[in-house]
Amino acid sequence: MERGGAAAPNETGFGWGVVALMGVAVFINYVDRGNLATAAPLIKDELHLSATQIGVAIAAFSWSYTPSMMLAGWLAERINPYRTLALGLLVWSLATAATGLAGGFAGLIVLRLVLGVGESATFPAASALIARHLPPHALGRANGMVGLGLSLGPAFGTFAGGLFIAALGWRQVFLAFGLISLLWLWPWLARTRRLSTARDGAALEMGPSYLAVMRHREAWGAALGHFSANYLFFFVLSWMPLYLVKARGYSVSHMAELGGAIYLAYAASNAACGWLTDRWIAAGGDPNRVRKTAAVACHIVAPAGLIICALGDTPTAVAGLFVTAIGTAFNTAGIFAIGQTLAGPRAAGKWVGFQNAIGNVAGMIGPIITGLVVDATGGFFWAFIIAAGVGATGAVSWGLVIRRVEPVTWRS
């Protein structure tokens, strides 16, 4: 039996084990991309970089990640999502390891660009698989499992990575994390080989074009909402370590402990929200109301947390970071569940590729804006205010630009 045009996992051989492996891939993804921010206090001093240069190095990831997203969505249809995700992880793991050998600012930029190309495969491939195999009432749980990787990755990267960097040095940690990441390929290839081969034997259906996706108002609403959510998330991911060490006086070790706790709060909120929204829908709740409620709440609570950070003393600012993390997680699962619902199984890879590409423009410009503001003002106050303002616009995108969270009609 199928519901909403998507078969349940156990009827296709897809299984929740594959979803869990995708969550592990996202975990590795965010550990590897966040290492530069965690090591920023040491890299800044060793390579004699300004805050603006740190911002540029962090943003360089998104310069390649963002345009490569649409290529990844196309590639997921052309060679299938299983191989696309495996190829992406191979590329980004090698780039992470090589970062440990970087000798200066230019080397960091090049390797961050390669990292972005590899990591661009993750969400288009995962969304194509989830939309094809799972019914609407399971999307929150599936995206919540994937989102756990998104939240636990920074938690582990900030806490364990920070402690390892403080003890061993940042170069050794980049080398170790990059090479260890490659181990994921063994269970993924073993678990999905039959599924990938079966996909080769299926009739090739490329689905709607990117132009067809971009004709829909809902695609732009989801993309702009994704942009504002990413501005919030990348602001914390990129700048929290440097902010806690340079502006609030924490040591690298204490920053790692506190940052890890903040990301654990984010992970718990993400898991709870993914489960609650699915339960609400399974109990008869209107998916449109459920998804929009979580999305709008995210873009009210998280910006409020940033304003608390900007206005408070050190204990209050730390409390504000927890509020921001918990609020941001309200819509972590929904960001992709909304796109998958709107696009349907045929278009989910390209839709999420487009949505995530626009969303990650925030990663291209946000860290640079923050670096320029910090250098110009000598502090983080206005950087927090700007991030809160951009984040609040997401309530309009998710709540009003998207008319209803329901499958769009594609022309044959």
Side-chain angles (χ1 to χ4, degrees):
M1 178 185 296
E2 294 190 357
R3 296 184 59 179
N10 60 347
E11 299 167 72
T12 63
F14 180 71
W16 290 104
V18 177
V19 177
L21 280 171
M22 291 192 295
V24 174
V26 173
F27 171 87
I28 297 169
N29 181 308
Y30 275 84
V31 169
D32 289 348
R33 81 166 66 178
N35 281 341
L36 183 61
T38 304
L42 299 182
I43 293 175
K44 184 175 186 293
D45 293 339
E46 180 178 330
L47 300 183
H48 308 292
L49 304 179
S50 67
T52 300
Q53 285 177 308
I54 290 291
V56 169
I58 292 171
F61 165 86
S62 293
W63 297 347
S64 59
Y65 180 77
T66 299
S68 297
M69 198 78 61
M70 295 178 71
L71 172 63
W74 174 85
L75 199 62
E77 292 183 347
R78 179 62 64 182
I79 68 170
N80 85 45
Y82 302 102
R83 293 194 185 102
T84 300
L85 182 52
L87 179 62
L89 186 133
L90 174 65
V91 171
W92 92 61
S93 298
L94 293 176
T96 299
T99 301
L101 306 175
F105 180 61
L108 284 179
I109 296 295
V110 170
L111 290 167
R112 292 288 288 181
L113 292 171
V114 176
L115 182 75
V117 172
E119 294 202 357
S120 70
T122 307
F123 290 109
S127 289
L129 292 171
I130 288 172
R132 178 172 296 275
H133 293 294
L134 300 181
H137 68 271
L139 293 181
R141 183 156 55 115
N143 285 288
M145 288 177 68
V146 172
L148 274 176
L150 187 151
S151 48
L152 291 176
F156 178 85
T158 303
F159 177 67
L163 294 178
F164 288 148
I165 287 168
L168 304 173
W170 65 273
R171 295 184 183 277
Q172 291 82 352
V173 171
F174 274 90
L175 281 165
F177 278 21
L179 296 176
I180 291 171
S181 297
L182 292 170
L183 296 176
W184 176 89
L185 289 168
W186 175 69
W188 178 255
L189 295 175
R191 180 64 180 80
T192 65
R193 182 178 293 110
R194 181 174 58 83
L195 295 167
S196 180
T197 303
R199 183 80 183 111
D200 290 338
L204 183 64
E205 183 182 14
M206 291 299 291
S209 67
Y210 275 114
L211 184 59
V213 170
M214 289 186 280
R215 289 195 184 106
H216 285 272
R217 164 178 167 171
E218 281 70 21
W220 289 98
L224 294 174
H226 204 143
F227 173 91
S228 61
N230 274 359
Y231 200 101
L232 288 169
F233 183 76
F234 285 133
F235 178 77
V236 176
L237 180 68
S238 302
W239 290 99
M240 182 177 66
L242 197 64
Y243 167 71
L244 290 175
V245 172
K246 299 297 185 181
R248 295 298 181 178
Y250 286 88
S251 68
V252 172
S253 297
H254 288 161
M255 173 277 294
E257 295 170 358
L258 180 56
I262 289 169
Y263 283 121
L264 286 177
Y266 175 80
S269 178
N270 164 65
C273 289
W275 180 80
L276 287 170
T277 51
D278 274 2
R279 291 281 294 178
W280 188 357
I281 293 172
D286 177 15
N288 176 66
R289 175 176 294 182
V290 173
R291 301 299 183 200
K292 283 193 174 187
T293 297
V296 172
C298 162
H299 291 276
I300 294 174
V301 174
L306 292 181
I307 292 173
I308 292 171
C309 291
L311 298 177
D313 58 11
T314 296
T316 304
V318 170
L321 287 174
F322 276 98
V323 171
T324 300
I326 292 169
T328 301
F330 287 175
N331 197 38
T332 297
I335 283 176
F336 298 103
I338 289 172
Q340 292 155 8
T341 300
L342 290 165
R346 289 181 59 217
K350 284 179 180 172
W351 182 294
V352 172
F354 167 73
Q355 174 186 316
N356 212 8
I358 299 298
N360 277 277
V361 172
M364 296 174 67
I365 64 175
I368 297 176
I369 291 172
T370 299
L372 290 170
V373 169
V374 170
D375 279 342
T377 64
F380 281 84
F381 175 84
W382 284 109
F384 275 101
I385 297 300
I386 291 169
V390 175
T393 65
V396 176
S397 299
W398 297 114
L400 298 178
V401 179
I402 296 175
R403 289 165 290 199
R404 286 192 59 80
V405 180
E406 60 186 16
V408 302
T409 301
W410 299 109
R411 297 176 181 175
S412 298

